[in-house]
Amino acid sequence: MENAIVLYPSPGIGHLISMVELGKLILTHHPRFSITVLLITTPPKRTNITPNSTTQQQATNSVAQYIAAVSATTPSINFHHLPQVSLPPDFNRSTPDTGFELPRYNNPNLHHALLTISKTSKLKAFLIDFFCDAAFEVAAEQLKIPTYYFFTSSASGLAVFLKIPTIDSNISIDIPNLPSIPFSSWPDPLVDRTTTVYKNFSKTATRMPNSHGIIVNTFEFLEKNALKAISDGVCVPEGTRTPPVFCIGPLISTTGNESGEEQNKCLNWLDKQPKQSVVFLCFGSMGLFPSKQLKEIAIALENSEQRFLWVVKNPPPDNQNSEKIDGIDDILPKGFLERTKDRGLVVRQWAPQVAVLSHNSVGGFVTHCGWNSVLESVSAGVPMLAWPLYAEQKMNRLFMVEDVKVALAVNESEDGFVSAAELERRVRELMDSEKGREVRDRVLGLRDSATAAMKDDGSSRAALNNLTEQWCQN
Ligand SMILES: *[C@@H]1O[C@H](CO)[C@@H](O)[C@H](O)[C@H]1NC(C)=O
Ligand SMILES: *[C@@H]1O[C@H](CO)[C@@H](O)[C@H](O)[C@H]1NC(C)=O
Ligand SMILES: *[C@@H]1O[C@H](CO)[C@@H](O)[C@H](O)[C@H]1NC(C)=O
Ligand SMILES: *[C@@H]1O[C@H](CO)[C@@H](O)[C@H](O)[C@H]1NC(C)=O
Ligand SMILES: *[C@@H]1O[C@H](CO)[C@@H](O)[C@H](O)[C@H]1NC(C)=O
């Protein structure tokens, strides 16, 4: 019988990609395991055409494209789509609890899928995204399958996550050796501890220590302080065991439309720019700005006198004020594209981020600090200007600015708005100042550490080997 490892990602593209990349990594170095990825089928929205449906459609398409691309290049990964579940009529798809609730409704399907797999293979380990916490009841508690959490954010984020059940202040979260996290930088779900989303996170954090281990997409050298706090046992409630933590990253996805039109457009343009001269702006799959903010960014870039590559997404539907947006000219200040055409490139919706960051013309990255983006920037040795938008991104910024020291921060107003003058100042600082040079030097060093971690004798490879040895004994 084959030794099977089953992966259970959360359906959001960022979470899904890093878990599938983990599957690829396992297969590359330990091909004796078979890898099955169970995919939750996201039910279509029941309401008629809502303004959000295009965004949702795009997200579904990019997940499907990504899976098709991986299936083509790594046919040994089995993708198994769980059947669509029917949700209760009052299920609200727009709450932050959806991430936890969809897996819960899928528990019967999951149970069936795991039993089916164990008829033909020895199920050595089950790896779940933290959002798929409900699966722990089925896999670990009922079926007694060794279950591991896969944490898609930083080890510093994990340190905070494990602390959630014992947070008793609303001033700061304090972990030895890490910067104190002021209330203003707390992850969204922790801000109001009376909400169901807080309770869902807290329940997950309470259960994690009972797992066989936690796998984190990071590397030891990047987050020494957080890892020490975790292994010292100061993050979990007193008397609770800390499960083993395996830092196997950075996992970076290069799967996608490698020879697509957009890709060529960006890379050809970068080829013509001087070394480290371009600031790249891209805000993730969900980072949408209202028109007012997009105009402000444009003014900042024009006044900064820097070269730039800017990925512009349409504003969220409720911010379009029913104005019809056909071209980018409808969003940006009049004449902006013409005036900056010699030193700037604006692309719509998407850019090949990993390829762009790795291009030696790129000298800075304005990012929302989603963890995948942070890892991609560090791995490419590009210093960041951190402009967090949602989830745990403000906390990621704090760690990257104050602990790891590879980023500068924009100073947004309380409602998240960043003025043109502020952005211009920070972009100049990143691209052309002593402070900018310091973070650049530091991130270049970390780039080499990231490469070293993934080599045969590196820390991340050792962690992967420990993990697979544990699986063989399971
Ligand atoms: C669904 O949840 C969102 C976000 O919490 C809320 O704004 C909205 O009013 C809810 N919709 C319904 C129908 O309850
Ligand atoms: C912090 O907690 C105190 C006491 O529970 C409460 O009165 C206060 O409103 C809270 N402040 C914030 C910002 O949540
Ligand atoms: C998680 O969220 C759901 C939906 O809001 C709620 O019904 C459930 O009680 C929450 N779970 C916990 C453990 O509070
Ligand atoms: C491929 O490129 C298109 C734009 O050219 C983009 O919309 C899509 O998300 C990309 N797909 C992947 C898997 O990156
Ligand atoms: C951020 O901006 C606010 C108001 O615009 C200002 O009071 C504050 O000093 C600024 N902070 C930094 C670190 O520049």
Side-chain angles (χ1 to χ4, degrees):
M1 280 222 259
E2 251 182 343
N3 285 337
I5 308 297
V6 177
L7 276 50
Y8 196 34
S10 180
I13 182 97
H15 284 245
L16 180 111
I17 286 183
S18 54
M19 198 177 240
V20 172
E21 292 297 320
L22 172 63
K24 285 162 66 178
L25 182 81
I26 297 166
L27 273 181
T28 305
H29 300 291
H30 302 275
R32 66 182 181 280
F33 293 109
S34 80
I35 302 282
T36 299
V37 182
L38 299 180
L39 297 169
I40 289 175
T41 307
T42 318
K45 285 210 163 146
R46 240 172 297 92
T47 45
N48 300 331
I49 308 301
T50 63
N52 248 330
S53 59
T54 13
T55 326
Q56 196 204 347
Q57 196 52 46
Q58 279 167 2
T60 312
N61 287 347
S62 57
V63 167
Q65 277 174 19
Y66 171 75
I67 288 168
V70 173
S71 305
T73 52
T74 319
S76 46
I77 293 191
N78 310 302
F79 287 100
H80 176 79
H81 292 266
L82 296 177
Q84 189 163 306
V85 290
S86 52
L87 298 170
D90 60 348
F91 187 81
N92 184 346
R93 287 278 303 266
S94 307
T95 73
D97 287 319
T98 309
F100 291 104
E101 288 296 286
L102 270 184
R104 175 170 307 286
Y105 284 102
N106 272 278
N107 265 353
N109 291 334
L110 173 70
H111 190 265
H112 179 77
L114 290 175
L115 282 183
T116 309
I117 294 169
S118 47
K119 279 187 193 135
T120 54
S121 333
K122 270 187 278 185
L123 231 168
K124 292 293 189 178
F126 182 51
L127 278 43
I128 61 178
D129 189 284
F130 70 77
F131 276 123
C132 298
D133 176 61
F136 195 87
E137 291 157 24
V138 170
E141 291 167 10
Q142 292 172 27
L143 301 175
K144 312 286 180 216
I145 300 167
T147 300
Y148 298 75
Y149 283 83
F150 178 55
F151 197 73
T152 47
S153 191
S154 63
S156 315
L158 176 63
V160 172
F161 200 107
L162 290 170
K163 246 184 122 60
I164 292 175
T166 54
I167 291 175
D168 57 5
S169 111
N170 55 11
I171 299 160
S172 65
I173 301 173
D174 295 286
I175 295 174
N177 296 320
L178 283 181
S180 173
I181 306 157
F183 187 72
S184 58
S185 289
W186 284 18
D188 295 338
L190 309 194
V191 166
D192 182 351
R193 298 203 297 283
T194 62
T195 59
T196 54
V197 69
Y198 174 80
K199 290 180 180 125
N200 273 292
F201 272 92
S202 186
K203 184 169 186 194
T204 304
T206 307
R207 195 134 59 181
M208 272 182 171
N210 302 332
S211 69
H212 272 65
I214 304 174
I215 305 165
V216 191
N217 185 9
T218 189
F219 58 102
E220 278 175 15
F221 191 74
L222 182 67
E223 300 194 83
K224 289 189 290 267
N225 295 334
L227 289 163
K228 172 144 185 359
I230 295 171
S231 66
D232 284 349
V234 298
C235 301
V236 294
E238 238 175 77
T240 304
R241 119 189 212 274
T242 299
V245 171
F246 303 89
C247 299
I248 47 68
L251 295 169
I252 306 276
S253 170
T254 51
T255 304
N257 25 24
E258 275 85 1
S259 55
E261 206 178 302
E262 296 287 328
Q263 171 122 357
N264 292 337
K265 185 172 159 194
C266 293
L267 299 182
N268 289 345
W269 182 81
L270 285 172
D271 284 343
K272 298 191 203 94
Q273 313 306 318
K275 193 168 172 240
Q276 289 182 353
S277 69
V278 175
V279 59
F280 174 50
L281 300 91
C282 187
F283 298 89
S285 48
M286 298 195 286
L288 305 182
F289 289 118
S291 323
K292 185 168 169 240
Q293 181 69 81
L294 289 171
K295 290 201 169 73
E296 213 73 7
I297 297 175
I299 297 168
L301 290 174
E302 187 168 351
N303 293 346
S304 77
E305 302 177 307
Q306 304 297 313
R307 291 169 201 273
F308 62 86
L309 170 52
W310 179 20
V311 182
V312 177
K313 297 192 177 204
N314 285 344
D318 51 336
N319 268 293
Q320 286 173 8
N321 300 330
S322 69
E323 46 182 313
K324 189 163 153 38
I325 294 177
D326 285 326
I328 208 140
D329 275 331
D330 297 335
I331 310 171
L332 303 181
K334 240 185 170 34
F336 166 78
L337 290 175
E338 178 58 27
R339 289 192 301 276
T340 57
K341 69 177 188 313
D342 293 333
R343 61 178 170 90
L345 178 66
V346 172
V347 297
R348 297 299 296 280
Q349 310 298 2
W350 184 86
Q353 180 161 306
V354 175
V356 166
L357 287 169
S358 311
H359 197 289
N360 72 5
S361 298
V362 172
F365 182 24
V366 185
T367 172
H368 64 314
C369 295
W371 185 242
N372 288 346
S373 290
V374 170
L375 281 181
E376 287 167 14
S377 202
V378 167
S379 301
V382 177
M384 288 169 270
L385 179 58
W387 179 346
L389 300 177
Y390 52 88
E392 88 294 18
Q393 294 162 4
K394 284 185 186 158
M395 189 173 77
N396 291 348
R397 163 169 72 183
L398 183 84
F399 292 133
M400 288 306 120
V401 171
E402 293 186 17
D403 183 39
V404 187
K405 301 190 171 71
V406 291
L408 305 178
V410 297
N411 184 10
E412 70 275 14
S413 66
E414 213 152 290
D415 62 359
F417 188 74
V418 175
S419 69
E422 164 66 13
L423 184 60
E424 177 199 337
R425 181 174 334 128
R426 301 302 170 195
V427 164
R428 283 180 186 273
E429 200 169 66
L430 180 70
M431 300 302 287
D432 186 19
S433 80
E434 190 49 41
K435 256 172 120 178
R437 257 184 300 281
E438 280 166 21
V439 286
R440 173 164 300 112
D441 287 348
R442 191 146 163 86
V443 78
L444 285 170
L446 280 165
R447 173 190 63 184
D448 298 340
S449 310
T451 311
M454 294 303 269
K455 291 220 168 103
D456 283 344
D457 58 352
S459 62
S460 294
R461 188 63 57 73
L464 181 69
N465 292 344
N466 289 343
L467 193 56
T468 54
E469 261 162 46
Q470 207 178 82
W471 293 343
C472 290
Q473 286 155 18
N474 283 343

